[in-house]
Amino acid sequence: MLRLDVNLFDYAILTVYFALVVLIGLLARRAIATSEDFLLSGRSLPAWVTGLAFVSANLGAIEILGMAANGAQYGISTVHFYWIGAVPAMIFLGLVMMPFYYRSKVRSVPEFLLRRFNSATHLFNAISFALAAVLIAGVNLYALALVIKALIGWPIWLSVILSAAFVLVYITLGGLSAAIYNEVLQFFVIIAGLIPLVIIGLKDVGGWDGLKAKVHNEALFNSWSGTHVGTWNNPLGDWIGIVMGLGFVLSFGYWTTNFAEVQRALSAKDLSAAQRTPLIGSFPKIFIPALTIIPGLIAIAVIPKMGKGGGDYNNAIPLLMNKYLPNGTLGIALAGLLAAFMAGMAANVSSFNTVFTYDIWQTYVRKGRSDSYYLRVGRLVTIAGILIGIATAFIASGYSNIMNYIQLLFSYFNAPLFATFIIAMFWKRASPWAGVAGLAAGTAGAAVMHFAGYHIGYFYPGGNVLAHAKVNVQMVNFYGAIVAFVADAVVTVVVSLLTRPKPVEELAGLVYGVPDPDAPDPKSLPKPAWWASPKLLGGVSAGIVVVLSVVFN
């Protein structure tokens, strides 16, 4: 059994870190007077804070354990999750979608759907998002429990409960502000913990060339080779799944409609800061593969049994930490890991409490109550979200690579939502009932593809279901997202043409080409310095991705 070799020095570092986390929660509590302060930070945070929190909210178990597991299982092709599957969508969110979100003063993504469509669409999405949030929170909670088990030796069930209790304390105390400021702290702790691991690991295997020699699998070091349609042998499948499934549907669906991320930008102090939030976050996102994918490759080079004979790819990072890091540095790395998992869970729980409080409870269950009432509800819902997350953590425990599970969830929840959003934003004819019809069709399409994909030979290496090879799970997820998007889009268009659209005056500020007459003139808003221009930040970020993609092709 994996057990980390820690001493009192490591525990002292962890104690100091956790004390800081609780202190931030206590300080943030003093600034909370209203439900908006608790759930949206009063919309007062600067861009650099929300930008780092934006990327840190995603830098949880999905990023650390999940991408390292992907690096071990799929190799350098995992960069597609970043340079195709994240940065372009983050740029699109900053330049195109944030003006819609921020100027409309919506408090959540489902609320945007309520204004654009109807209450049925709003409720469907609010419920599905709340379900997705607690399922993903369970992934982070399970990953956190894995580290605690390795640290102390406690069983998974006890580690899950302990992890949940600690996250509950600082979110309940300080709401979104506590979560965001802790995410900024956690970002730097995570980086400080992972950099030594990569440097020491690469030195041990003889650098990049030595790593390639020890892995003995050239396919794991080519990002685009073997992606031909019909004859694929790339670890992630063909280019259609990678570009359209991951790069377009899953990526844009996650980064532009997942409220766990959008909530960070909505908490910014003004529109310019809201636009810059995902753009600032895109820069560290570009380089994070060096801290996640490379450790996965190092793990299969120095731990021969990794992933074989029932091995668990999720243990790649903890195993490397135990092998390479001396005491003291191990404590920092452990703090980084625990920080990452708490950041991911806090992001999902804080977005869950906002959506449930505003979009379900206030809208459909208890209308017209005082603000202090909804503040109390928000805190109680946070507790409920943590408890549900404990249950969903045991679902995540059934996957040897949690990234496979995460992409499956995204194909169900994010892919249909993105199709509905993109049509609604650019097509005035999209009718109120088309929203809920499209979402339902897209979700059903994802379910059909999920179960049918395991019986389609094309998704197996060699194209034969009966060849005793393992199905390419990520490829099935990518195509599942494509099917969900197409099903949603087709049904949305058909229902729109058969039903009455909303009057144009009700679409003011919600559709391109229909400006809000009550909104301030964009030309009158203060402009950021030239070096902080959203267009410049987006262009530079995109340029770096293009250069790196060519270098590592």
Side-chain angles (χ1 to χ4, degrees):
M1 182 182 72
L2 171 63
R3 183 74 184 272
L4 298 180
D5 182 22
V6 293
N7 62 13
L8 289 177
F9 189 31
D10 298 311
Y11 282 118
I13 292 173
L14 289 171
T15 301
V16 169
Y17 169 72
F18 285 122
L20 282 174
V21 169
V22 174
L23 177 62
I24 290 172
L26 291 170
L27 292 175
R29 183 184 178 90
R30 298 169 60 185
I32 293 176
T34 68
S35 63
E36 183 172 82
D37 290 337
F38 183 76
L39 299 171
L40 285 176
S41 297
R43 297 194 172 197
S44 60
L45 301 177
W48 74 270
V49 171
T50 55
L52 290 180
F54 185 90
V55 71
S56 183
N58 179 253
L59 200 59
I62 298 171
E63 198 82 0
I64 307 302
L65 285 195
M67 288 303 181
N70 259 5
Q73 187 172 2
Y74 302 115
I76 205 68
S77 294
T78 306
V79 297
H80 296 318
F81 285 88
Y82 295 87
W83 300 341
I84 290 178
V87 175
M90 296 167 77
I91 295 172
F92 181 79
L93 172 63
L95 298 181
V96 178
M97 293 191 71
M98 279 318 302
F100 282 94
Y101 286 136
Y102 203 88
R103 287 171 182 162
S104 63
K105 293 294 182 182
V106 295
R107 297 168 299 184
S108 67
V109 172
E111 184 178 343
F112 184 91
L113 291 177
L114 175 62
R115 296 187 185 185
R116 178 61 183 86
F117 291 105
N118 57 14
S119 58
T121 304
H122 171 254
L123 182 59
F124 184 97
N125 178 248
I127 293 173
S128 64
F129 174 82
L131 177 61
V134 293
L135 286 170
I136 296 172
V139 175
N140 287 281
L141 188 55
Y142 168 63
L144 185 55
L146 281 179
V147 177
I148 291 179
K149 178 185 177 183
L151 182 65
I152 306 175
W154 290 352
I156 284 291
W157 68 268
L158 183 59
S159 300
V160 165
I161 294 173
L162 176 67
S163 307
F166 194 84
V167 175
L168 175 64
V169 168
Y170 85 80
I171 300 180
T172 306
L173 282 175
L176 181 61
S177 291
I180 286 180
Y181 279 112
N182 265 310
E183 284 162 4
V184 174
L185 169 65
Q186 288 159 359
F187 174 80
F188 292 106
V189 174
I190 292 164
I191 299 302
L194 290 179
I195 287 177
L197 188 65
V198 174
I199 293 174
I200 296 171
L202 280 177
K203 183 177 180 181
D204 180 55
V205 298
W208 185 251
D209 291 335
L211 177 61
K212 294 173 71 174
K214 287 182 178 293
V215 170
H216 300 300
N217 188 347
E218 187 64 29
L220 293 179
F221 291 88
N222 292 305
S223 60
W224 282 108
S225 66
T227 58
H228 304 292
V229 176
T231 58
W232 64 270
N233 57 22
N234 186 280
L236 292 182
D238 62 31
W239 68 266
I240 293 178
I242 294 173
V243 174
M244 297 304 299
L246 172 63
F248 179 60
V249 179
L250 287 172
S251 169
F252 280 70
Y254 175 80
W255 290 102
T256 66
T257 66
N258 187 335
F259 192 58
E261 300 296 335
V262 174
Q263 187 187 34
R264 272 71 192 148
L266 287 177
S267 66
K269 62 182 180 179
D270 54 37
L271 175 58
S272 175
Q275 286 190 274
R276 282 180 281 143
T277 293
L279 300 174
I280 291 172
S282 71
F283 286 93
K285 190 71 176 178
I286 292 171
F287 299 102
I288 285 173
L291 303 180
T292 55
I293 300 172
I294 292 177
L297 288 167
I298 294 172
I300 61 174
V302 300
I303 305 169
K305 294 183 179 180
M306 171 61 64
K308 297 180 180 180
D312 194 340
Y313 292 112
N314 296 324
N315 280 326
I317 291 282
L319 284 169
L320 289 185
M321 286 169 45
N322 198 48
K323 178 178 177 64
Y324 287 130
L325 297 185
N327 294 114
T329 306
L330 179 59
I332 295 174
L334 279 171
L337 267 186
L338 297 175
F341 306 153
M342 287 192 299
M345 185 174 182
N348 284 285
V349 171
S350 60
S351 59
F352 169 78
N353 65 25
T354 301
V355 167
F356 188 91
T357 302
Y358 283 144
D359 294 291
I360 298 176
W361 195 260
Q362 184 183 40
T363 305
Y364 299 102
V365 182
R366 290 288 186 271
K367 300 180 181 180
R369 296 298 183 93
S370 66
D371 189 77
S372 61
Y373 170 81
Y374 294 117
L375 176 58
R376 290 195 302 272
V377 170
R379 287 200 165 106
L380 290 174
V381 169
T382 300
I383 297 173
I386 295 284
L387 293 176
I388 298 171
I390 291 174
T392 62
F394 293 98
I395 300 176
S397 68
Y399 289 79
S400 64
N401 183 343
I402 55 175
M403 185 53 67
N404 293 336
Y405 175 50
I406 286 294
Q407 296 303 320
L408 172 63
L409 295 179
F410 289 167
S411 69
Y412 271 87
F413 298 110
N414 294 90
L417 179 58
F418 177 60
T420 298
F421 248 94
I422 206 71
I423 293 172
M425 287 178 58
F426 292 98
W427 192 37
K428 292 183 290 186
R429 184 67 178 78
S431 67
W433 286 105
V436 66
L439 289 174
T443 304
V448 170
M449 190 62 194
H450 171 216
F451 293 105
Y454 288 85
H455 303 284
I456 299 175
Y458 182 64
F459 297 122
Y460 287 77
N464 188 351
V465 176
L466 303 177
H468 302 292
K470 289 186 177 180
V471 67
N472 191 319
V473 177
Q474 289 289 30
M475 191 179 181
V476 173
N477 291 334
F478 296 162
Y479 271 83
I482 295 172
V483 170
F485 181 90
V486 172
D488 184 299
V490 169
V491 171
T492 299
V493 171
V494 170
V495 174
S496 293
L497 296 176
L498 296 176
T499 55
R500 181 178 299 177
K502 271 193 170 185
V504 174
E505 56 270 19
E506 294 184 21
L507 301 178
L510 301 175
V511 180
Y512 259 107
V514 186
D516 183 355
D518 298 324
D521 183 356
K523 296 180 180 178
S524 67
L525 297 175
K527 298 290 190 297
W530 67 268
W531 48 266
S533 164
K535 291 182 179 179
L536 177 63
L537 291 173
V540 172
S541 179
I544 295 174
V545 166
V546 170
V547 171
L548 289 176
S549 296
V550 172
V551 170
F552 285 93
N553 183 16

Short mmCIF file of all heavy atoms in Angstrom, two decimals, residues 14 29 53-54 87 110 118 144 173 188 211 213 221 253 302 336 343 383 389 404 436 501 508-509 530 537:
data_model
loop_
_atom_site.label_atom_id
_atom_site.label_comp_id
_atom_site.label_asym_id
_atom_site.label_seq_id
_atom_site.Cartn_x
_atom_site.Cartn_y
_atom_site.Cartn_z
N LEU A 14 2.25 21.67 6.65
CA LEU A 14 0.83 21.47 6.39
C LEU A 14 -0.03 22.22 7.40
O LEU A 14 -1.06 22.82 7.05
CB LEU A 14 0.49 19.97 6.44
CG LEU A 14 1.02 19.12 5.28
CD1 LEU A 14 0.80 17.64 5.58
CD2 LEU A 14 0.34 19.50 3.98
N ARG A 29 -15.29 36.46 6.20
CA ARG A 29 -16.61 36.48 6.85
C ARG A 29 -16.98 37.89 7.31
O ARG A 29 -18.14 38.29 7.31
CB ARG A 29 -16.62 35.51 8.02
CG ARG A 29 -17.97 35.40 8.73
CD ARG A 29 -17.87 34.49 9.94
NE ARG A 29 -19.14 34.42 10.66
CZ ARG A 29 -20.08 33.53 10.39
NH1 ARG A 29 -19.89 32.64 9.44
NH2 ARG A 29 -21.22 33.53 11.07
N ALA A 53 -7.74 33.02 -9.60
CA ALA A 53 -8.76 32.13 -9.04
C ALA A 53 -9.45 31.34 -10.15
O ALA A 53 -9.82 30.18 -9.95
CB ALA A 53 -9.80 32.95 -8.26
N PHE A 54 -9.62 31.97 -11.32
CA PHE A 54 -10.26 31.31 -12.46
C PHE A 54 -9.51 30.05 -12.85
O PHE A 54 -10.11 28.98 -13.04
CB PHE A 54 -10.31 32.29 -13.63
CG PHE A 54 -11.06 31.79 -14.83
CD1 PHE A 54 -12.42 32.02 -14.97
CD2 PHE A 54 -10.41 31.10 -15.85
CE1 PHE A 54 -13.12 31.58 -16.07
CE2 PHE A 54 -11.10 30.65 -16.96
CZ PHE A 54 -12.46 30.89 -17.08
N VAL A 87 -7.44 26.84 -23.85
CA VAL A 87 -7.07 28.23 -24.10
C VAL A 87 -7.97 28.92 -25.14
O VAL A 87 -8.43 30.05 -24.89
CB VAL A 87 -5.58 28.33 -24.50
CG1 VAL A 87 -5.22 29.76 -24.90
CG2 VAL A 87 -4.71 27.86 -23.33
N PRO A 110 -27.75 29.58 -15.32
CA PRO A 110 -29.18 29.27 -15.52
C PRO A 110 -30.06 30.53 -15.56
O PRO A 110 -31.06 30.55 -16.28
CB PRO A 110 -29.51 28.40 -14.30
CG PRO A 110 -28.22 27.74 -13.95
CD PRO A 110 -27.18 28.80 -14.21
N ASN A 118 -37.16 30.40 -21.16
CA ASN A 118 -38.33 30.39 -20.27
C ASN A 118 -37.98 29.66 -18.98
O ASN A 118 -36.86 29.16 -18.80
CB ASN A 118 -39.54 29.75 -20.96
CG ASN A 118 -39.26 28.33 -21.44
OD1 ASN A 118 -38.26 27.71 -21.05
ND2 ASN A 118 -40.14 27.80 -22.28
N LEU A 144 -8.64 14.09 -2.94
CA LEU A 144 -8.12 14.58 -1.67
C LEU A 144 -8.00 13.44 -0.66
O LEU A 144 -7.02 13.33 0.09
CB LEU A 144 -9.05 15.68 -1.14
CG LEU A 144 -8.65 16.43 0.12
CD1 LEU A 144 -7.27 17.05 -0.02
CD2 LEU A 144 -9.68 17.51 0.43
N LEU A 173 -17.75 29.71 6.22
CA LEU A 173 -17.35 30.93 6.91
C LEU A 173 -17.36 32.13 5.98
O LEU A 173 -17.97 33.16 6.27
CB LEU A 173 -15.94 30.77 7.50
CG LEU A 173 -15.80 29.96 8.79
CD1 LEU A 173 -14.33 29.81 9.13
CD2 LEU A 173 -16.54 30.65 9.92
N PHE A 188 -0.31 29.46 -5.94
CA PHE A 188 1.14 29.57 -5.73
C PHE A 188 1.68 28.36 -4.96
O PHE A 188 2.80 27.90 -5.22
CB PHE A 188 1.46 30.88 -5.00
CG PHE A 188 1.20 32.10 -5.83
CD1 PHE A 188 0.12 32.92 -5.58
CD2 PHE A 188 2.04 32.42 -6.89
CE1 PHE A 188 -0.14 34.04 -6.34
CE2 PHE A 188 1.80 33.54 -7.67
CZ PHE A 188 0.70 34.36 -7.40
N LEU A 211 14.05 10.52 -20.86
CA LEU A 211 12.68 10.12 -20.58
C LEU A 211 12.09 9.33 -21.75
O LEU A 211 11.48 8.27 -21.56
CB LEU A 211 11.82 11.35 -20.29
CG LEU A 211 10.33 11.12 -20.04
CD1 LEU A 211 10.11 10.23 -18.82
CD2 LEU A 211 9.59 12.45 -19.86
N ALA A 213 13.70 7.65 -23.95
CA ALA A 213 14.38 6.35 -24.06
C ALA A 213 13.86 5.35 -23.03
O ALA A 213 13.72 4.16 -23.32
CB ALA A 213 15.89 6.55 -23.88
N PHE A 221 4.87 10.24 -27.35
CA PHE A 221 5.55 11.53 -27.46
C PHE A 221 5.18 12.27 -28.75
O PHE A 221 5.84 13.24 -29.12
CB PHE A 221 7.07 11.33 -27.39
CG PHE A 221 7.54 10.91 -26.02
CD1 PHE A 221 7.59 9.56 -25.67
CD2 PHE A 221 7.90 11.85 -25.07
CE1 PHE A 221 8.00 9.17 -24.41
CE2 PHE A 221 8.31 11.46 -23.81
CZ PHE A 221 8.36 10.12 -23.47
N GLY A 253 -17.89 24.17 -24.20
CA GLY A 253 -18.98 23.88 -23.29
C GLY A 253 -18.59 24.04 -21.84
O GLY A 253 -19.36 24.53 -21.02
N VAL A 302 9.73 5.32 -14.46
CA VAL A 302 10.45 4.89 -13.25
C VAL A 302 9.63 3.95 -12.37
O VAL A 302 10.17 3.37 -11.42
CB VAL A 302 10.90 6.12 -12.42
CG1 VAL A 302 11.82 7.01 -13.24
CG2 VAL A 302 9.70 6.91 -11.90
N GLY A 336 0.52 21.57 -1.69
CA GLY A 336 0.06 21.91 -3.03
C GLY A 336 -1.02 20.97 -3.52
O GLY A 336 -2.01 21.40 -4.11
N ALA A 343 -9.35 23.44 -3.80
CA ALA A 343 -9.75 24.48 -4.75
C ALA A 343 -10.82 23.96 -5.70
O ALA A 343 -11.83 24.63 -5.96
CB ALA A 343 -8.53 24.97 -5.53
N ILE A 383 -23.62 23.14 3.14
CA ILE A 383 -23.49 21.91 3.94
C ILE A 383 -24.07 20.72 3.18
O ILE A 383 -23.47 19.64 3.11
CB ILE A 383 -24.18 22.08 5.30
CG1 ILE A 383 -23.50 23.20 6.10
CG2 ILE A 383 -24.16 20.77 6.08
CD1 ILE A 383 -24.22 23.56 7.39
N GLY A 389 -21.53 15.54 -1.96
CA GLY A 389 -20.20 15.29 -2.54
C GLY A 389 -19.52 14.08 -1.92
O GLY A 389 -18.79 13.36 -2.59
N ASN A 404 -11.15 10.22 -17.40
CA ASN A 404 -12.15 9.54 -18.23
C ASN A 404 -13.56 9.80 -17.69
O ASN A 404 -14.50 10.03 -18.45
CB ASN A 404 -11.88 8.03 -18.26
CG ASN A 404 -10.59 7.69 -18.99
OD1 ASN A 404 -10.12 8.45 -19.83
ND2 ASN A 404 -10.02 6.55 -18.67
N VAL A 436 -35.45 24.15 -23.67
CA VAL A 436 -35.55 22.93 -22.87
C VAL A 436 -35.58 21.70 -23.76
O VAL A 436 -35.02 20.64 -23.39
CB VAL A 436 -36.80 22.99 -21.95
CG1 VAL A 436 -38.09 22.99 -22.76
CG2 VAL A 436 -36.77 21.84 -20.95
N PRO A 501 -41.35 32.65 -31.43
CA PRO A 501 -40.17 33.20 -30.76
C PRO A 501 -40.55 34.30 -29.78
O PRO A 501 -41.69 34.78 -29.77
CB PRO A 501 -39.34 33.77 -31.91
CG PRO A 501 -40.38 34.17 -32.93
CD PRO A 501 -41.47 33.14 -32.82
N ALA A 508 -33.32 42.19 -25.58
CA ALA A 508 -32.34 43.27 -25.49
C ALA A 508 -31.17 42.89 -24.59
O ALA A 508 -31.35 42.50 -23.44
CB ALA A 508 -33.02 44.53 -24.96
N GLY A 509 -29.98 42.97 -25.14
CA GLY A 509 -28.77 42.65 -24.40
C GLY A 509 -28.45 41.18 -24.29
O GLY A 509 -27.43 40.81 -23.71
N TRP A 530 -3.32 50.13 -22.29
CA TRP A 530 -3.16 49.38 -23.54
C TRP A 530 -2.64 47.98 -23.29
O TRP A 530 -3.03 47.02 -23.95
CB TRP A 530 -2.23 50.14 -24.49
CG TRP A 530 -0.80 50.22 -24.03
CD1 TRP A 530 -0.22 51.19 -23.29
CD2 TRP A 530 0.21 49.22 -24.26
NE1 TRP A 530 1.10 50.89 -23.03
CE2 TRP A 530 1.40 49.70 -23.63
CE3 TRP A 530 0.25 48.01 -24.94
CZ2 TRP A 530 2.59 48.98 -23.66
CZ3 TRP A 530 1.44 47.30 -24.97
CH2 TRP A 530 2.60 47.79 -24.34
N LEU A 537 -4.44 40.86 -24.78
CA LEU A 537 -4.17 39.68 -23.96
C LEU A 537 -4.59 38.40 -24.68
O LEU A 537 -3.87 37.40 -24.69
CB LEU A 537 -4.91 39.79 -22.63
CG LEU A 537 -4.43 40.86 -21.65
CD1 LEU A 537 -5.36 40.96 -20.46
CD2 LEU A 537 -3.01 40.57 -21.19
#
